[in-house]
Amino acid sequence: MPESVAKVALRDQLLTARRRRPLSEVGAAARAIAAVLAGTEEVRRAATVACYVSVGSEPGTTALLDRLADAGKRVLLPVLRRDNDLDWALYAGQSSLAPAGRGLLEPVGPTLGVDAVAGADVVLVPGLAVSRDGMRLGRGGGSYDRALSRVPVGTFTCVLLYDDEVLDAVPAEPHDRPVSAAATPGGLLRMR
């Protein structure tokens, strides 16, 4: 089976499973992931953290964003451009977010450019699954693979997932960028 077909099939399976998760599980997972990340050395040391605003049944980031801001971190959030690339803007609390295309919430402040993510000490990204070697499966737009290609080697890059979304393998293509860790309600998994 070609990788692109395998990706589509796995994506459909994972999205269906996410839609079936009870809201109570989504909320509990969000709180647990925020606690896991707050306990990591990389996040504690970071001055700037690139994150995102979760949507739908993704593991929630609301508690995480507020926790990062309360800890004095400079938090960058993505702003989706027309070409599916990501620009970045500063998070200034929940009231600084506004509805955007595709059901997203984005910061309303000035954008900092697509390369702003390269200055982050920690980069937290969404995904649908990750393999044990760090290959992340996203939603298929390529936005985060482009962003991750701008992040310096050695930067702590972490995907936020549910425990059952860490898989032995995921289909990958040459443009896919690996992450160095996965944060789940069950803890932090560092990739080999």
Side-chain angles (χ1 to χ4, degrees):
M1 183 166 29
E3 282 185 337
S4 60
V5 173
K7 277 185 168 183
V8 169
L10 182 56
R11 231 180 245 120
D12 286 347
Q13 176 187 351
L14 293 163
L15 286 168
T16 298
R18 278 195 176 176
R19 283 191 291 273
R20 292 181 178 154
R21 288 188 191 276
L23 284 179
S24 59
E25 181 183 344
V26 173
R31 290 185 296 278
I33 290 171
V36 164
L37 286 167
T40 65
E41 184 65 25
E42 292 89 349
V43 173
R44 283 197 309 269
R45 283 191 330 237
T48 301
V49 177
C51 194
Y52 63 97
V53 180
S54 58
V55 294
S57 57
E58 287 181 329
T61 58
T62 302
L64 175 62
L65 291 171
D66 290 337
R67 199 166 186 164
L68 292 169
D70 290 346
K73 310 293 182 196
R74 180 175 179 253
V75 180
L76 303 177
L77 294 178
V79 176
L80 185 64
R81 295 169 25 139
R82 290 184 196 270
D83 63 359
N84 268 357
D85 207 344
L86 298 177
D87 205 328
W88 299 87
L90 292 174
Y91 175 66
Q94 296 295 320
S95 63
S96 71
L97 301 175
R102 300 186 188 180
L104 301 173
L105 287 175
E106 295 178 342
V108 294
T111 55
L112 306 171
V114 296
D115 293 324
V117 69
D121 304 302
V122 167
V123 179
L124 306 175
V125 298
L128 295 173
V130 71
S131 64
R132 297 199 180 274
D133 63 357
M135 293 310 299
R136 182 188 71 88
L137 178 68
R139 289 186 179 255
S143 301
Y144 280 94
D145 288 316
R146 278 183 258 177
L148 287 169
S149 73
R150 297 180 179 108
V151 175
V153 172
T155 302
F156 182 72
T157 56
C158 182
V159 61
L160 282 55
L161 299 169
Y162 295 101
D163 292 311
D164 58 354
E165 294 172 339
V166 176
L167 308 175
D168 290 332
V170 298
E173 296 175 88
H175 68 270
D176 292 330
R177 301 290 182 193
V179 293
S180 55
T184 71
L188 185 76
L189 175 65
R190 295 187 187 273
M191 303 308 173
R192 51 180 179 217

